[in-house]
Amino acid sequence: MTSESVEEFRARARAWLAANLPRLDSADAMPLQRDALTSWQRARELQKRLYDGGFAGICFPREYGGLGLGYEYKKAFDAEALAYETPLMLNVPSFAICCATILDMGSEEQKRTHIAAALRGDEVLVQLLSEPSGGSDLAGVLTRADRRDGRWIINGAKTWSTWAFAADYGLCLARTDWGVPKHEGLTMFLVPLRHPGVTINRIKQVNGSVEFCEEFFDDVDVGDDAVVGVPGKGWDVASRQLYHERRSMGDGSEYTSGPGIAEAEDISVDLLALVEKTDQVGSGRVREMVGRALAHRVVHGQLSEHVFHAVTHGSLPPAAGSIIRLSMAEVHDVENDTALAVAGPSAVIDDAAGLLDIGTRYLGRQIASIGGGTTEMARNVIGERVLNFPREYTADRGVPFNQVRHGKA
Ligand SMILES: Cc1cc2nc3c(=O)[nH]c(=O)nc-3n(C[C@H](O)[C@H](O)[C@H](O)COP(=O)(O)OP(=O)(O)OC[C@H]3O[C@@H](n4cnc5c(N)ncnc54)[C@H](O)[C@@H]3O)c2cc1C
């Protein structure tokens, strides 16, 4: 509990930000480059400043290094922080997904160690869920962890792991029992990434980004302290993780800090600036397109708030986080399509307009429809677990995993 009102907190944050963080429009701000290690070092350093200044982890409990304050305090800080360089890259997945999952499902020791270290800027955590065999059927993971001499020995491969190259730990879902149905034989591990047997390679995307990684685990030896939750109950942990992921993809997490994904300047296109730059303020067609995209953004913001509060108060189930996730993808698509239409041929031709970045962004248009689980899977979740429609047929339900046919017609 705090005796400080939201307005008082906001005023204190305003003064602290002005004195301690670079304004985005100043020469002191560093351009955000999510796939460069220098940007990650910078993010850790900024996070440390936030921590030392008493503004880190606003909604994380005090006993784990946070401030233990309500969502309205976080929103007040976010609004003040919009004009400043903040450690945005640490929001997702490190805080909003990984730390949030550890907070809900981890041991006391894991919470005290890892959440506190992340809030100090000392640790970055990522998600190791998807595998080369597929990501939507997450319970079908093939990475294995076998019990040997009281330890866990992990073997297998993960892929599409965002920012694993810059991280210290990964939440890794592995199969520990092959003789039970797929959801029952899983265990979640918090795996150190700089560890013998872990190989991390970077993957280059069509838009040039190298933020994705693939990891290979060869006899990676971890103890019981690496297990998050209970052995064999990894699906419970993964479900909680997916819940946090869906919310954070739609900017609906209380564990982020500063601008959300929707406002992050390197992800979201500033459509109004684009209209001015292309000298189309007077075009009715352009105004209509941009207005439509901006309206989507506003509606998404309202929807996120509504779903966040409804889930918090129990009038919607946690699976409703998928509504935010689905809406976010739609906003992203409309914005990217609008930006391309406004920029016209300059988005793909290196001419005087200098708008090639719009074309490059367009190459990553599908990101929001795939990352954090696909849009199709979000619709499935909303249909089955929010609207209570009948569940889709699955051939492997109730079948021991070692009897499930894989990759066969
Ligand atoms: C930006 C981004 C960041 C990511 N970050 C991470 C990360 O940090 N860690 C991580 O582990 N993974 C990450 N991923 C991977 C992501 O989770 C997977 O790409 C996603 O879950 C889909 O898996 P897949 O690509 O293997 O497609 P598949 O699962 O092979 O699916 C292929 C297609 O089939 C559809 N489909 C599959 N099953 C169904 C069904 N039951 N009903 C309807 N349609 C279905 C899918 O919607 C999709 O269109 C990231 C992906 C992106 C784009």
Side-chain angles (χ1 to χ4, degrees), residues 1-5 58 60-63 66-70 72-73:
M1 286 297 284
T2 175
S3 55
E4 190 177 28
S5 70
I58 294 172
F60 279 102
R62 294 181 73 86
E63 58 269 41
L67 303 186
L69 297 174
E72 60 283 13
Y73 288 81

Side-chain angles (χ1 to χ4, degrees), residues 332-346:
H332 187 267
D333 288 358
V334 171
E335 284 187 349
N336 272 284
D337 293 351
T338 305
L340 192 77
V342 172
S346 294

Side-chain angles (χ1 to χ4, degrees), residues 127 129-130 134-136 160 162 212 367 370-371 374 376 380 392:
Q127 309 198 80
L129 299 174
S130 306
S136 299
W160 313 128
T162 313
F212 282 141
I367 283 174
I370 302 174
T374 65
E376 289 81 6
N380 284 352
E392 74 170 332

Side-chain angles (χ1 to χ4, degrees), residues 39-351:
S39 280
W40 284 92
Q41 277 147 7
R42 172 73 162 182
R44 288 176 188 244
E45 186 209 311
L46 293 175
Q47 181 64 31
K48 187 164 175 40
R49 278 195 224 175
L50 279 178
Y51 183 83
D52 291 341
F55 287 99
I58 294 172
C59 292
F60 279 102
R62 294 181 73 86
E63 58 269 41
Y64 309 129
L67 303 186
L69 297 174
Y71 187 64
E72 60 283 13
Y73 288 81
K74 170 209 141 47
K75 292 302 265 185
F77 181 85
D78 290 356
E80 290 301 325
L82 270 181
Y84 293 89
E85 186 190 358
T86 54
L88 275 188
M89 300 196 302
L90 302 179
N91 280 338
V92 181
S94 197
F95 286 129
I97 304 177
C98 301
C99 289
T101 303
I102 292 172
L103 181 65
D104 292 346
M105 311 298 285
S107 66
E108 192 58 25
E109 173 68 17
Q110 286 165 344
K111 292 182 211 178
R112 287 192 189 279
T113 307
H114 297 287
I115 296 175
L119 290 176
R120 288 194 308 269
D122 290 340
E123 248 179 45
V124 175
L125 297 92
V126 292
Q127 309 198 80
L128 309 176
L129 299 174
S130 306
E131 301 195 348
S133 57
S136 299
D137 181 21
L138 182 56
V141 294
L142 299 176
T143 292
R144 62 188 305 141
D146 298 298
R147 204 71 176 141
R148 201 183 296 162
D149 300 329
R151 308 275 302 168
W152 295 99
I153 310 299
I154 305 176
N155 281 285
K158 296 284 176 180
T159 191
W160 313 128
S161 328
T162 313
W163 302 319
F165 67 90
D168 304 285
Y169 284 86
L171 281 171
C172 175
L173 189 63
R175 189 163 302 283
T176 44
D177 187 347
W178 297 71
V180 294
K182 63 178 180 181
H183 293 92
E184 296 167 28
L186 301 168
T187 302
M188 186 70 78
F189 294 89
L190 188 57
V191 179
L193 292 175
R194 321 273 154 234
H195 199 64
V198 180
T199 305
I200 303 179
N201 298 329
R202 295 177 76 164
I203 301 171
K204 188 163 189 180
Q205 294 177 68
V206 66
N207 60 4
S209 162
V210 282
E211 68 178 48
F212 282 141
C213 297
E214 60 178 2
E215 301 79 26
F216 296 96
F217 301 95
D218 294 297
D219 284 338
V220 174
D221 179 332
V222 293
D224 285 332
D225 57 347
V227 173
V228 181
V230 177
K233 296 280 183 200
W235 187 247
D236 294 350
V237 184
S239 301
R240 197 64 193 165
Q241 191 170 333
L242 293 181
Y243 159 69
H244 284 299
E245 177 167 50
R246 289 177 190 125
R247 294 165 79 231
S248 64
M249 286 294 127
D251 284 343
S253 171
E254 65 273 48
Y255 300 117
T256 57
S257 175
I261 291 179
E263 292 104 14
E265 48 163 350
D266 65 326
I267 290 188
S268 224
V269 189
D270 185 344
L271 289 169
L272 293 179
L274 181 63
V275 172
E276 284 194 7
K277 194 170 176 183
T278 53
D279 205 12
Q280 298 185 80
V281 177
S283 161
R285 188 184 71 91
V286 167
R287 291 168 77 98
E288 193 173 313
M289 281 193 306
V290 170
R292 177 170 172 263
L294 294 178
H296 266 76
R297 169 75 68 80
V298 172
V299 171
H300 173 74
Q302 300 287 322
L303 183 69
S304 291
E305 294 259 332
H306 172 72
V307 172
F308 174 85
H309 289 295
V311 171
T312 308
H313 299 126
S315 57
L316 278 175
S322 287
I323 298 173
I324 304 179
R325 152 71 188 76
L326 183 60
S327 156
M328 178 69 206
E330 302 217 327
V331 171
H332 187 267
D333 288 358
V334 171
E335 284 187 349
N336 272 284
D337 293 351
T338 305
L340 192 77
V342 172
S346 294
V348 291
I349 297 165
D350 195 5
D351 61 15

